[in-house]
Amino acid sequence: MGLLSRKVTCNSHGQDSSYFLGWQEFEKNPYDEVKNPKGIIQMGLAENQLSFDLLESWLAKNPEAASFKRDGQSIFKELALFQDYHGLPAFKKALVDFMAEIRGNKVTFDANNIVLTAGATSANETLMFCLAEKGDAFLLPTPYYPGFDRDLKWRTGAEIVPIVCTSSNGFKITEPALEEAYHEAQRKNLRVKGVLVTNPSNPLGTTMTRNELHLLINFITDKEIHLISDEIYSGTVFSSPAFVSIMEVLKDMKMENTQEWERVHVVYSLSKDLGLPGFRVGAIYSNDPIVVAAATKMSSFGLVSSQTQSLLSAMLSDKKFTKEYLSKHQKRLRNRRNKLVSGLEKAGISCLDSNAGLFCWVDMRHLLSSNTFEAEMELWKRIVYDIKLNISPGSSCHCTEPGWFRVCFANMSEDALKLAMQRLKSFVGSIAINDLSHQELKKTGRKNRTNWVFRLSFQSFHDREQDER
Amino acid sequence: MVAISKIATGNGHGENSPYFDGWKAYETNPFHPTERPDGVIQMGLAENQLCFNLIKKWVLQHPEASLCSAEGVNKFKETALFQDYHGMPEFRQAVAKFMGKVRGDRVNFDPDRIVMSGGATGAHEMVAFCLADPGEAFLVPTPYYPGFDRDLRWRTGVELVPVVCESSNNFKITRNALETAYKKAKEANLRVKGLLITNPSNPLGTILDRETLKSIVKFINEKNIHLIGDEIYAATVFMEPEFVSISEIIDEVECNRDLIHIVYSLSKDMGFPGFRVGIVYSYNDAVVSCARKMSSFGLVSSQTQHLIASMLSDDDFIDNFIVESKEQLFKRHKYFTWSLSQVGIGSLKSNAGLFIWMDLRKLLKEKTLEAEMDLWRVIINEVKLNVSPGSSFHCNEPGWFRVCFANMDDHTMEVALLRIRTFIFRQNEAMVPRKLCTRSSLKLSFSRRRDDFMSPSIMSPHSPLPQSPLVRART
């Protein structure tokens, strides 16, 4: 007789995924420029570490926000007591204004429609509780963020059915893929409640095209289902095309007074754009007052600390700061991404053309011993244990094609990135080419990558000497 | 059109309870000493506001505890990035130490068993998710905190079965009551997974004595069910007898430790509900492991972890704070209960918490829930005090009300007492001509307190005092 719940004993928390195993390996042997230069470089964590200097300089200029003061008066007590799940009004206003600014002010958001949650992790789970019954399904385009398996399914009992996207068209969402996913759900006797997309995409690093967004809106209209757009990376778009939010498209299609308007919900967070994952600031934005009301009550289980709301309210209300931050930060992301891409190219590795995110979707299909996920795992283990880079295998993101990896670039110093690229280059250079000639890498449009088969010439990681810490 | 979920549209959030109606009345017309002197005084919110002066002083003296000050900003980046659900080691160590201090250092808490949650609200839901599947049940002694209906049941699908406690023995949790509840659950085909106790009790303000605790531990071991001890009010025990924690009892009696879990928070003991610091402390490794993963849904902001780690590890400050806080609570409780007794209002004898369990059974027209609701509406609308009716705590006996005393300053307390006295006086006047023989009316202790009685604050309802709501009474 089980004494604990089924949730404890099942695997739906998803932590046995290679996505998390790589992190564990990193933690055992983390790279440090001085103390552990041969350690594992973390490239599996989509963190934004590029612009803390901007945040710190704002803090230095705004001592009141820092010290629980407003107009010279201490507001410590007020904050310590503030547990209203409606959130600090000034913070919500600042947050929706920031969201609008990120979208070039082409859309505005009503502060009354936003619900604050403990990170996007909590926002996504809460939306599931609001929109789906146990056993209902949401359709998600693959590849997708591994954490969704836990966030959307674990405690809610909801199911995920993949919308299969492939490299043949740059992993874009197509109508046949949507329909196929819907039918797959029906074959499994699952009631589809909605579609969840991440835009800009994790792990692809691309923004959705207007065409895709139209497709989605038509699809949810036709099927009368919800659409959740996780826009957590919206502020990381560093090159064209500019970010187009689902809200903008709905507005362009003049759908403000339709039923679909109330079935589109946006998830946001400050973990990626501002690089503050520790502060646990997430949000749900919905045009459906019932969803807003229910989600607001549910947010009791994971409110944002009032101390944090107060600090960020001051920061985000400083429009001069937010404008400067977004512009400088996006430039830095672009530079960093370019460094990664050119480093990969020198190693003969290409990646999906991207314009957003904190990572690249890297094509290592030509390095696989066979076109299988076993080969992908084999390659991944070598990269983690031998080259000592923690990157995320595509299979952990539910990619249907073996050989793709997500490689993060914004969570380390430039020197560490350089070192990582050197290690990768040596690794690739040591591979013996088996009777096949190299095709020159194209700079753009990687649609017709041919799968090359190489025999890996070095010993397996069991035979090699382990580097001492 | 595809609907949203039943959870979202149903009433499982529990906000239709009168517990929350009173808050709404307060929110539309909140008391303010100068701007709204006739507003509703909030006595339905169990907050601890008595020692903020000490906290404020500490915060000013320790700028490094804030990540944003010049002294603390060197920690900003690493803290802002820290989202590890294990929580900061310094935070866990400081919380473990604090929990030990609050229990007189009679127990040691292991920092590695400390799991964060979104307040105690998040902690309770998380524990329910870990220990029970949908349709299974927890036993909860009545009266209990209304939020449990939402926290333990709403999204988890878990059921609550009351362990009915009676005023006849001061709401003691008897073995008999536990067995009855267990049997009832069985008859309803509910599999009981655990027992949840709040100690010190909300709403009673009492602590469980050693014998009761031992009997409870024996019970759960025999039935092989979990025991969840919500000890959120542990540091509010302001008077003898001394608080005894579950963590102490399991050292004294035979117990399967895998069944023992403590829920804690800084919302009451420190007065920090806004910072959302909830803790699950379990003696069961599998539960710690699972809860930790689940804590992703409600981690404590690292900015707050940093502040709390700093504050709680200041031994001198904390030792003094704990003593001072108890002293202030003791004084406020004493004054409040004495003042009420002067107008014949009694309450359950209590030594903890931020509230009293007030006995207004004698004021009920009849011993029914409706009569309690009628009286409650009078108290809200006419006396203009938000107090919480016992029925919202699932009390089986009408006439009890929870009244909070630690969430206001001295002046507001005086206004509240004046209103109560005036109200009682009116009630007496209304009752005296008719019911002298058949009902014991409220006695005003004339003999000893004659001076007080004649003082301006307890004059006739027609007092010209401008603050009295009865000056503009409609009845």
Side-chain angles (χ1 to χ4, degrees):
Chain A
M1 201 168 77
L3 209 57
L4 301 176
S5 70
R6 284 191 281 272
K7 287 177 183 58
V8 172
T9 45
C10 73
N11 271 338
S12 299
H13 51 70
Q15 274 193 218
D16 300 333
S17 151
S18 48
Y19 183 74
F20 296 102
L21 291 176
W23 290 12
Q24 282 166 27
E25 283 312 308
F26 163 75
E27 250 131 56
K28 290 182 204 159
N29 182 18
Y31 166 81
D32 181 287
E33 197 177 334
V34 170
K35 292 182 232 165
N36 190 20
K38 293 208 177 99
I40 299 178
I41 298 177
Q42 173 65 289
M43 304 188 89
L45 187 53
E47 258 176 18
N48 177 2
Q49 294 193 22
L50 302 185
S51 299
F52 274 103
D53 58 320
L54 301 177
L55 298 175
E56 284 159 7
S57 110
W58 184 89
L59 290 171
K61 294 190 201 130
N62 292 273
E64 279 224 331
S67 52
F68 293 109
K69 283 208 180 96
R70 192 195 298 142
D71 301 328
Q73 295 297 325
S74 169
I75 53 167
F76 184 91
K77 176 175 163 178
E78 214 177 277
L79 283 179
L81 292 172
F82 186 84
Q83 57 173 331
D84 183 352
Y85 58 27
H86 291 98
L88 220 53
F91 176 54
K92 290 204 298 182
K93 181 78 182 62
L95 185 60
V96 298
D97 285 350
F98 184 62
M99 287 169 72
E101 188 177 353
I102 287 173
R103 289 153 184 74
N105 288 312
K106 296 205 190 87
V107 278
T108 50
F109 294 91
D110 181 351
N112 292 319
N113 289 350
I114 201 157
V115 179
L116 301 174
T117 61
T121 300
S122 178
N124 280 313
E125 189 195 46
T126 298
L127 265 181
M128 278 303 113
F129 273 122
C130 287
L131 304 179
E133 308 293 350
K134 190 167 140 76
D136 286 346
F138 261 75
L139 311 180
L140 266 66
T142 62
Y144 63 76
Y145 162 57
F148 281 151
D149 291 320
R150 169 198 62 194
D151 302 348
L152 305 177
K153 302 194 312 179
W154 189 19
R155 306 191 307 178
T156 61
E159 298 287 349
I160 295 176
V161 174
I163 302 165
V164 179
C165 301
T166 66
S167 60
S168 60
N169 70 342
F171 296 93
K172 294 203 187 4
I173 298 175
T174 64
E175 201 177 332
L178 283 166
E179 291 290 346
E180 174 53 33
Y182 191 85
H183 289 127
E184 174 66 16
Q186 290 186 316
R187 280 193 290 272
K188 290 183 166 157
N189 262 323
L190 297 170
R191 183 169 67 159
V192 176
K193 268 323 210 10
V195 177
L196 185 150
V197 298
T198 307
N199 179 28
S201 162
N202 174 11
L204 303 175
T206 52
T207 50
M208 288 178 92
T209 60
R210 270 184 202 275
N211 197 33
E212 284 173 287
L213 293 168
H214 279 126
L215 211 62
L216 281 170
I217 292 175
N218 291 337
F219 182 74
I220 64 145
T221 306
D222 177 48
K223 303 284 190 263
E224 293 183 85
I225 58 180
H226 296 275
L227 176 62
I228 300 171
S229 180
D230 184 341
E231 303 189 348
I232 194 176
Y233 291 99
S234 47
T236 68
V237 180
F238 49 74
S239 66
S240 63
F243 177 59
V244 180
S245 165
I246 192 75
M247 290 297 178
E248 192 186 325
V249 174
L250 282 169
K251 221 176 130 192
D252 289 345
M253 289 166 84
K254 301 211 189 322
M255 290 179 73
E256 284 100 322
N257 292 315
T258 60
Q259 287 176 352
E260 285 68 44
W261 178 250
E262 289 194 353
R263 288 207 306 270
V264 173
H265 322 278
V266 173
V267 165
Y268 188 54
S269 159
L270 296 180
S271 299
K272 309 297 178 183
D273 290 350
L274 285 188
L276 306 172
F279 289 0
R280 313 315 300 144
V281 182
I284 296 169
Y285 187 89
S286 176
N287 294 310
D288 181 345
I290 301 178
V291 171
V292 172
T296 301
K297 294 178 178 73
M298 287 188 192
S299 69
S300 297
F301 300 112
L303 296 173
V304 178
S305 171
S306 58
Q307 180 190 16
T308 301
Q309 290 189 54
S310 174
L311 168 68
L312 293 175
S313 159
M315 193 184 276
L316 295 183
S317 308
D318 184 344
K319 302 282 204 284
K320 191 158 166 275
F321 167 74
T322 56
K323 188 165 173 209
E324 188 194 330
Y325 179 90
L326 284 171
S327 150
K328 282 198 171 142
H329 170 236
Q330 285 161 5
K331 208 179 280 178
R332 293 176 184 184
L333 283 172
R334 185 170 60 242
N335 288 341
R336 192 54 88 80
R337 192 276 315 240
N338 290 345
K339 287 202 161 67
L340 174 67
V341 169
S342 67
L344 289 170
E345 271 177 9
K346 290 195 182 92
I349 298 173
S350 66
C351 49
L352 188 71
D353 224 358
S354 66
N355 65 326
L358 311 174
F359 33 73
C360 280
W361 189 234
V362 177
D363 185 356
M364 298 202 201
R365 289 176 293 173
H366 60 297
L367 299 176
L368 295 184
S369 58
S370 61
N371 186 17
T372 61
F373 285 111
E374 288 73 30
E376 180 183 279
M377 274 296 107
E378 205 183 285
L379 176 59
W380 175 69
K381 282 186 188 146
R382 285 193 162 85
I383 296 176
V384 172
Y385 294 110
D386 292 349
I387 322 175
K388 303 226 174 25
L389 302 177
N390 179 33
I391 63 178
S392 312
S395 49
S396 69
C397 301
H398 300 276
C399 186
T400 50
E401 293 171 44
W404 292 90
F405 291 79
R406 190 191 77 171
V407 181
C408 300
F409 56 71
N411 64 309
M412 68 206 55
S413 69
E414 223 173 278
D415 287 339
L417 181 63
K418 222 183 261 175
L419 176 62
M421 293 299 97
Q422 278 166 16
R423 288 184 187 178
L424 203 50
K425 188 156 177 252
S426 319
F427 162 70
V428 173
S430 70
I431 292 168
I433 297 165
N434 188 13
D435 285 334
L436 295 165
S437 57
H438 238 317
Q439 188 175 352
E440 183 88 317
L441 282 173
K442 289 192 192 139
K443 291 239 156 70
T444 53
R446 322 220 182 273
K447 291 179 192 163
N448 301 314
R449 277 311 283 144
T450 318
N451 270 335
W452 296 104
V453 176
F454 291 86
R455 187 165 45 89
L456 297 170
S457 68
F458 52 84
Q459 298 153 309
S460 80
F461 78 94
H462 289 298
D463 302 337
R464 278 169 76 103
E465 276 171 345
Q466 293 291 308
D467 281 337
E468 294 303 303
R469 268 237 209 186
Chain B
M1 218 281 268
V2 128
I4 55 180
S5 71
K6 293 196 200 76
I7 288 179
T9 47
N11 277 334
H13 50 72
E15 281 188 29
N16 300 330
S17 152
Y19 183 75
F20 297 102
D21 281 349
W23 290 15
K24 290 170 200 158
Y26 164 76
E27 256 139 48
T28 44
N29 183 19
F31 171 80
H32 184 277
T34 48
E35 290 168 33
R36 269 180 317 275
D38 297 333
V40 175
I41 296 179
Q42 174 65 288
M43 303 190 88
L45 186 54
E47 271 177 0
N48 184 354
Q49 294 193 23
L50 303 184
C51 284
F52 271 110
N53 55 325
L54 295 177
I55 307 266
K56 266 152 75 164
K57 191 162 157 216
W58 187 92
V59 166
L60 284 170
Q61 289 169 346
H62 292 85
E64 75 284 1
S66 163
L67 284 181
C68 318
S69 62
E71 294 83 345
V73 78
N74 59 320
K75 288 260 157 102
F76 184 84
K77 177 175 166 176
E78 86 189 54
T79 308
L81 288 170
F82 189 88
Q83 58 174 327
D84 182 351
Y85 61 27
H86 289 85
M88 288 176 175
E90 350 31 306
F91 169 75
R92 285 184 285 115
Q93 278 152 22
V95 170
K97 192 156 72 142
F98 181 70
M99 286 172 72
K101 275 188 203 255
V102 165
R103 288 152 185 77
D105 285 317
R106 293 182 296 274
V107 203
N108 259 334
F109 289 91
D110 177 0
D112 291 336
R113 288 194 176 281
I114 295 221
V115 177
M116 298 181 286
S117 60
T121 299
H124 278 294
E125 191 195 44
M126 196 157 81
V127 169
F129 270 126
C130 286
L131 302 183
D133 288 314
E136 296 181 336
F138 286 135
L139 308 181
V140 195
T142 65
Y144 65 78
Y145 163 58
F148 284 158
D149 290 323
R150 169 199 62 195
D151 302 347
L152 296 163
R153 298 186 323 169
W154 190 20
R155 306 191 305 181
T156 61
V158 168
E159 302 283 352
L160 293 184
V161 175
V163 175
V164 181
C165 301
E166 314 268 3
S167 63
S168 52
N169 65 351
N170 293 323
F171 301 94
K172 197 176 158 92
I173 303 173
T174 61
R175 178 69 189 230
N176 207 21
L178 289 167
E179 292 286 359
T180 305
Y182 190 84
K183 212 164 123 217
K184 235 183 159 172
K186 248 186 146 182
E187 281 159 13
N189 257 324
L190 291 169
R191 182 165 156 214
V192 175
K193 270 326 233 333
L195 167 66
L196 165 65
I197 57 172
T198 306
N199 178 33
S201 162
N202 173 11
L204 303 177
T206 52
I207 57 170
L208 294 177
D209 60 75
R210 229 178 193 89
E211 286 321 300
T212 304
L213 281 165
K214 285 187 178 163
S215 148
I216 285 173
V217 171
K218 199 155 171 268
F219 173 77
I220 59 122
N221 274 278
E222 276 170 28
K223 300 282 192 268
N224 199 28
I225 61 176
H226 295 277
L227 178 59
I228 306 152
D230 183 342
E231 301 191 344
I232 195 176
Y233 291 100
T236 69
V237 180
F238 51 76
M239 208 160 78
E240 297 273 289
E242 199 174 52
F243 176 57
V244 181
S245 164
I246 278 295
S247 51
E248 294 172 58
I249 295 293
I250 58 176
D251 277 341
E252 294 172 23
V253 298
E254 207 167 307
C255 179
N256 173 6
R257 283 175 176 236
D258 277 347
L259 299 174
I260 308 293
H261 323 275
I262 294 179
V263 164
Y264 188 57
S265 158
L266 298 183
S267 299
K268 311 295 179 182
D269 288 350
M270 296 297 294
F272 295 162
F275 294 166
R276 313 316 300 147
V277 183
I279 302 289
V280 170
Y281 189 95
S282 175
Y283 290 88
N284 181 321
D285 292 344
V287 172
V288 170
S289 172
C290 181
R292 201 177 270 139
K293 294 179 180 75
M294 282 190 187
S295 68
S296 298
F297 299 111
L299 296 173
V300 176
S301 168
S302 57
Q303 181 191 15
T304 299
Q305 289 187 53
H306 177 84
L307 170 69
I308 297 300
S310 200
M311 194 183 285
L312 296 191
S313 44
D314 185 341
D315 286 326
D316 290 337
F317 169 72
I318 288 297
D319 289 342
N320 180 53
F321 178 86
I322 292 175
V323 167
E324 228 353 82
S325 176
K326 286 186 203 217
E327 180 65 30
Q328 295 302 320
L329 285 169
F330 171 75
K331 279 194 192 144
R332 185 55 80 80
H333 173 269
K334 188 169 174 203
Y335 179 63
F336 189 52
T337 49
W338 173 81
S339 304
L340 290 177
S341 70
Q342 296 311 295
V343 289
I345 296 180
S347 56
L348 186 70
K349 187 151 174 263
S350 64
N351 67 325
L354 311 174
F355 33 71
I356 56 159
W357 190 233
M358 190 164 71
D359 183 358
L360 296 183
R361 287 174 294 175
K362 291 177 276 192
L363 293 185
L364 295 185
K365 294 195 186 76
E366 47 189 26
K367 264 179 145 173
T368 61
L369 172 61
E370 290 71 32
E372 180 181 281
M373 286 291 106
D374 284 341
L375 176 58
W376 177 65
R377 272 186 279 274
V378 167
I379 299 175
I380 301 254
N381 297 319
E382 294 180 22
V383 190
K384 297 233 177 42
L385 300 176
N386 177 31
V387 300
S388 312
S391 49
S392 66
F393 295 86
H394 303 278
C395 186
N396 72 329
E397 193 183 349
W400 295 91
F401 290 80
R402 190 193 76 172
V403 184
C404 300
F405 58 71
N407 63 315
M408 62 193 66
D409 58 26
D410 289 336
H411 169 80
T412 309
M413 172 109 295
E414 289 298 343
V415 175
L417 285 169
L418 171 64
R419 291 182 187 182
I420 293 172
R421 286 187 202 115
T422 321
F423 169 67
I424 296 301
F425 216 58
R426 271 180 61 216
Q427 291 282 301
N428 271 358
E429 289 215 329
M431 275 163 53
V432 158
R434 286 176 284 130
K435 306 245 190 225
L436 258 179
C437 305
T438 54
R439 254 169 90 147
S440 57
S441 57
L442 293 165
K443 267 172 58 168
L444 295 171
S445 11
F446 286 103
S447 44
R448 274 187 298 126
R449 310 304 314 179
R450 194 178 166 82
D451 292 341
D452 282 15
F453 177 65
M454 294 307 288
S455 79
S457 56
I458 326 181
M459 276 165 63
S460 85
H462 306 291
S463 156
L465 285 175
Q467 282 163 326
S468 167
L470 297 168
V471 169
R472 288 192 281 290
R474 288 175 290 283
T475 53

